[in-house]
Amino acid sequence: MAASISVVIPVFNRKEELIRALDSVKKQTLQPSEVIVVDDCSSFLIEDFLRESNYLDQDWVRVVRNEINQGPSGTRNTGVMHAKEEFIAFLDSDDYWDPHKLEKQMALFTKKPELDLVYNGTWVVYENKTVPSHTKLFKDNIWYQLVDNCWTPPNPSTMLMRNASIRKLNAFDLTLKHAEDIDLWMRMTLHDMKIDYCDERLTYFMYNSTGRLSKQYRAKFKKVEPFFAKWEPYFRQQGKESSFHRFKQRSFTKFALETFVDSLRDRSVSIPAQMYFKYLWNRKEFYDLILNKFRRVQPQPS
């Protein structure tokens, strides 16, 4: 018997990656009741592609197409709007899951019915190498971790959330083109939602996938500004302007570090130099973060 879970997969112009994502859902030891693939106005019809690939022969896979391109927030929200089940799991079309992901998350919901969200750790796939992400997982003091510690949660492909809870938050903010997931986490904490995690790596994050905003350095810095513009009035109302400015500065330092490291991997020189002299050279946390970033990681055991 299928669990009361709707899986939402936003997709734009992807084929092989989407099939891999769907295969990982098909292999779940706890099967969801429905899978909603949201086509964000791709240059071809995702529905036709899946029909030709025999993926629409299964009643639980259906495709919804946006009339106009809406980006990650709007596309996930389209899936939420069509989701019928008690729980919603998000899966980006270029990521995929461990076969036990949904089973282990639902076990936590069964044990703790008060929970609104269960997430998990990730594996990072980079240039055909699978390494463990060292992102720390938290279930308490989330606001502190996000704002004061500049914590970046694992991406939405790790999330299993109550349908009613995400609807209470009006899902993802349509005005944001970047950091929309961090914004959701911040709003969850303000609504005192209950969060827990599976202390296992159950999601595979495709780090160097084409189309990720994290690879579009200039666009990333530009598109994050609306996120800070949205939250600045809240901090001001709380009399915490200095906390906001530290949060913003630390966030840009972290974004700059990601750009710095990625560019070095791509054997670029000019971009790391720009990042270093504009954002990093006088920031103590840069030197702390970069030591952590370059620590040894071991490939996933075969």
Side-chain angles (χ1 to χ4, degrees):
M1 182 176 178
S4 184
I5 300 172
S6 300
V7 177
V8 172
I9 305 179
V11 61
F12 176 70
N13 283 348
R14 287 188 175 125
K15 291 185 176 181
E16 291 80 7
E17 298 96 330
L18 175 60
I19 295 298
R20 180 180 59 203
L22 285 167
D23 278 339
S24 77
V25 178
K26 186 177 180 180
K27 294 174 182 176
Q28 290 298 299
T29 54
L30 180 66
Q31 282 290 295
S33 296
E34 63 176 358
V35 180
I36 304 167
V37 176
V38 187
D39 179 0
D40 194 21
C41 229
S42 299
S43 60
F44 58 93
L45 292 177
I46 294 291
E47 184 171 6
D48 287 350
F49 166 68
L50 290 181
R51 183 177 294 109
E52 293 165 2
S53 304
N54 294 321
Y55 268 86
L56 290 184
D57 291 346
Q58 303 174 67
D59 293 337
W60 53 275
V61 177
R62 58 192 172 104
V63 177
V64 179
R65 183 175 170 92
N66 290 335
E67 293 183 1
I68 60 172
N69 183 273
Q70 297 187 26
S73 294
T75 305
R76 292 188 188 111
N77 287 2
T78 298
V80 171
M81 182 175 64
H82 285 84
K84 301 174 183 177
E85 301 302 324
E86 183 181 358
F87 297 90
I88 296 177
F90 296 100
L91 176 58
D92 287 352
S93 58
D94 53 342
D95 297 334
Y96 57 100
W97 288 339
D98 179 278
H100 301 281
K101 191 234 187 218
L102 295 180
E103 178 185 3
K104 291 186 175 182
Q105 289 182 307
M106 283 302 299
L108 261 180
F109 275 110
T110 301
K111 184 179 179 181
K112 302 178 180 180
E114 72 277 9
L115 292 175
D116 297 283
L117 168 72
V118 173
Y119 69 110
N120 55 260
T122 58
W123 293 100
V124 179
V125 183
Y126 181 82
E127 293 184 347
N128 298 318
K129 294 180 181 179
T130 302
V131 298
S133 167
H134 292 284
T135 298
K136 292 183 178 179
L137 308 180
F138 300 99
K139 57 185 174 182
D140 300 308
N141 300 318
I142 298 292
W143 181 268
Y144 170 81
Q145 300 300 339
L146 290 165
V147 175
D148 295 289
N149 258 0
C150 206
W151 176 57
T152 301
N155 80 326
S157 295
T158 67
M159 298 170 66
L160 178 63
M161 194 168 185
R162 290 191 183 276
N163 194 329
S165 300
I166 195 162
R167 288 177 185 268
K168 182 178 180 181
L169 297 171
N170 294 317
F172 293 90
D173 188 334
L174 293 173
T175 68
L176 301 180
K177 304 301 181 184
H178 188 53
E180 74 281 351
D181 51 339
I182 297 176
D183 171 81
L184 181 71
W185 278 81
M186 292 173 72
R187 288 185 286 124
M188 279 193 286
T189 63
L190 293 184
H191 281 78
D192 196 30
M193 290 193 172
K194 303 299 185 290
I195 297 168
D196 207 342
Y197 58 83
C198 293
D199 194 14
E200 297 180 66
R201 298 180 179 92
L202 302 172
T203 299
Y204 291 80
F205 172 74
M206 303 302 291
Y207 183 83
N208 56 336
S209 176
T210 57
R212 282 209 188 273
L213 182 61
S214 58
K215 304 296 290 182
Q216 303 168 26
Y217 307 134
R218 292 177 179 83
K220 180 177 179 178
F221 278 78
K222 182 178 181 180
K223 289 183 178 181
V224 77
E225 285 290 356
F227 166 78
F228 291 111
K230 172 184 177 177
W231 282 97
E232 186 172 10
Y234 172 80
F235 281 85
R236 189 182 301 117
Q237 291 168 8
Q238 301 297 313
K240 297 181 178 179
E241 293 94 335
S242 59
S243 178
F244 170 78
H245 290 300
R246 285 195 302 272
F247 172 47
K248 184 175 180 179
Q249 188 175 47
R250 286 177 61 85
S251 296
F252 269 96
T253 299
K254 194 167 186 176
F255 295 153
L257 174 59
E258 291 170 359
T259 302
F260 182 88
V261 173
D262 288 347
S263 299
L264 289 178
R265 283 173 174 158
D266 294 337
R267 296 176 175 83
S268 171
V269 175
S270 61
I271 293 177
Q274 292 173 32
M275 292 298 102
Y276 182 74
F277 289 108
K278 188 172 183 178
Y279 296 104
L280 301 173
W281 71 274
N282 63 342
R283 302 294 301 159
K284 178 184 180 297
E285 59 263 30
F286 162 64
Y287 300 99
D288 295 336
L289 286 169
I290 202 167
L291 286 174
N292 181 63
K293 199 80 174 179
F294 281 111
R295 65 184 165 181
R296 289 177 64 94
V297 293
Q298 297 297 325
Q300 180 186 12
S302 57

